[in-house]
Amino acid sequence: MSWKLTAADLSDLARGATLLGTGGGGDPYIGKMLVEQVLGTGSITILDPDDLADDLFVIPTAQMGAPTVMIEKIPAGFEATLALRTLEDHLGRKADATMPIECGGINSMIPLLVAAETGLPVVDGDGMGRAFPELSMETFAVYGVHGSPLALAGERGERVIIDTGDDDRQMEWLARGITIRLGGVGHIAEYAMSGADVKRTAVPRTISMALALGRAIRLAREAHSSPFEAIAETLSTTLYSHVRELFVGKVADVERRTTDGFAKGRAVILPLDPSSDDRFEIAFQNENLIAHHNGDVVAIVPDLICVVDHETAEPITTEGLRYGQRVRVLGISTPAMMRTQAALQAFGPTAFGLTEPFMPVEGETAAAEAALEFAATARGVGVAEEAHA
């Protein structure tokens, strides 16, 4: 069932999207401000994926680049819509709707900006179920929809079409190179697909989930109750049903560098009790990828590793990490469709050069049950055979 999103929802949505961004995806604050400016007192129609007509034509829109660059390089505001129009012209067909490629970070906002500027509805779903650093790391691609042709637009009106056929990694490589030469940030339209494809390949209802998360955190704080319990309760009825506290401590060191169009580095978190010799370390590439506690892996991509404020549960991005911050680290399970063998090849540990195997944050038994349930109900060809236990 479709619903209306207004400017009053954007702050809660941004908070929830920052949590789902797992440290990356770009801070949605700037995107929120751009949407508010264009939307005013109007509203945006959000479409439930199950209600889409099979022949509906959907073009996702997004921003790409290193989150650290996005803090200083503010978008002009028209780039994403320009990318959409460029791809429409190339394909010779107008979009009936847009949608996010990722629900985390600023890319929760870019399709809303396009919708506010064009009047298009936005599909309640995405292709990452969180944030990932590369365009090829999409459930769309895993289950048979490819990103090309891609349209990329810059802040001075530059427009580029990239068509690599079904080679999404080559598409990412070329788009990343152009984005670097645009100053580190570009806006894109890609993964054009039908409504039937959306229902088969997208992670459903992630916009409404991000909104519910952000609202739950705010309401819990206003009621002086635990925002962490609110997060767990909100997620308990979703595809992200398991939340685990991984560590509580103080940021002791952050190493961060921007290279090859990505923000890469690590963060070290030590216990609040100075007499303890515990050590917690997170490695990231735009997003948090792997967490070690005293050398042991406690969470790993594609599961979510979220750093939040120790008391308020306000999410903290990788570019926002600072020495001395008191934080909690949460591990959140991803949907079963993000844990099939094909999915793990696209955005599991080996896709980032990690040697550690995937280990479900909630434990192998619970993950196996979820995978079997997904395999039994999967609509994609071959998905059932690839279910990962």
Side-chain angles (χ1 to χ4, degrees), residues 283-331:
F284 57 82
Q285 179 182 327
N286 288 9
E287 290 76 41
N288 299 320
L289 300 180
I290 186 170
H292 289 90
H293 184 194
N294 295 333
D296 296 327
V297 177
V298 291
I300 192 167
V301 67
D303 282 351
L304 282 63
I305 302 167
C306 307
V307 182
V308 300
D309 182 85
H310 172 258
E311 294 184 350
T312 67
E314 193 68 22
I316 302 171
T317 61
T318 54
E319 68 268 22
L321 285 170
R322 299 288 184 272
Y323 173 82
Q325 288 171 326
R326 293 176 176 241
V327 301
R328 295 178 192 259
V329 185
L330 306 179

Side-chain angles (χ1 to χ4, degrees), residues 1-6 9 42-47 121 211 215:
M1 183 176 181
S2 66
W3 51 281
K4 298 290 186 179
L5 183 142
T6 70
D9 299 315
S43 63
I44 296 168
T45 299
I46 309 295
L47 302 177
L211 176 58
R215 182 182 292 137

Side-chain angles (χ1 to χ4, degrees), residues 51-312:
D51 295 338
L52 301 183
D54 285 351
D55 61 352
L56 193 80
F57 188 50
V58 182
I59 299 180
T61 46
Q63 178 175 295
M64 71 177 297
T68 46
V69 175
M70 297 175 196
I71 296 174
E72 298 180 358
K73 189 175 175 61
I74 308 299
F78 62 80
E79 298 96 326
T81 297
L82 177 60
L84 175 80
R85 296 306 188 204
T86 301
L87 188 56
E88 287 178 330
D89 291 345
H90 179 77
L91 296 173
R93 184 177 180 184
K94 294 291 185 181
D96 298 314
T98 187
M99 69 181 296
I101 64 165
E102 63 182 354
C103 60
I106 195 170
N107 276 327
S108 63
M109 295 291 164
I110 298 302
L112 302 180
L113 177 60
V114 172
E117 291 177 337
T118 64
L120 288 173
V122 177
V123 177
D124 190 359
D126 77 298
M128 293 184 179
R130 42 165 291 164
F132 285 123
E134 298 184 17
L135 302 180
S136 55
M137 295 175 171
E138 300 275 353
T139 58
F140 305 147
V142 169
Y143 299 118
V145 175
H146 296 289
S148 291
L150 171 149
L152 192 153
E155 63 181 356
R156 295 179 178 86
E158 305 96 332
R159 295 182 296 165
V160 178
I161 291 287
I162 296 173
D163 194 342
T164 58
D166 60 0
D167 192 340
D168 296 311
R169 293 181 66 89
Q170 178 75 351
M171 177 195 72
E172 153 68 30
W173 184 78
L174 291 171
R176 187 71 51 181
I178 294 169
T179 296
I180 291 170
R181 285 155 183 80
L182 289 174
V185 177
H187 288 74
I188 54 176
E190 57 168 353
Y191 285 101
M193 70 185 87
S194 68
D197 287 331
V198 171
K199 288 182 280 190
R200 182 172 55 83
T201 67
V203 184
R205 300 173 195 88
T206 47
I207 295 177
S208 52
M209 184 176 69
L211 176 58
L213 277 170
R215 182 182 292 137
I217 294 171
R218 173 178 58 81
L219 292 177
R221 294 194 306 222
E222 291 174 356
H224 304 290
S225 58
S226 169
F228 306 100
E229 292 180 3
I231 290 171
E233 182 179 350
T234 301
L235 290 174
S236 65
T237 57
T238 74
L239 298 176
Y240 300 69
S241 57
H242 185 85
V243 181
R244 175 185 168 198
E245 185 176 274
L246 303 176
F247 199 74
V248 180
K250 182 173 68 174
V251 178
D253 187 30
V254 181
E255 174 192 326
R256 187 188 298 112
R257 63 194 182 279
T258 300
T259 178
D260 299 325
F262 301 107
K264 299 180 180 180
R266 68 184 184 98
V268 175
I269 304 171
L270 299 181
L272 298 177
D273 180 359
S275 65
S276 172
D277 59 358
D278 273 6
R279 179 184 176 93
F280 194 88
E281 186 167 326
I282 300 171
F284 57 82
Q285 179 182 327
N286 288 9
E287 290 76 41
N288 299 320
L289 300 180
I290 186 170
H292 289 90
H293 184 194
N294 295 333
D296 296 327
V297 177
V298 291
I300 192 167
V301 67
D303 282 351
L304 282 63
I305 302 167
C306 307
V307 182
V308 300
D309 182 85
H310 172 258
E311 294 184 350
T312 67

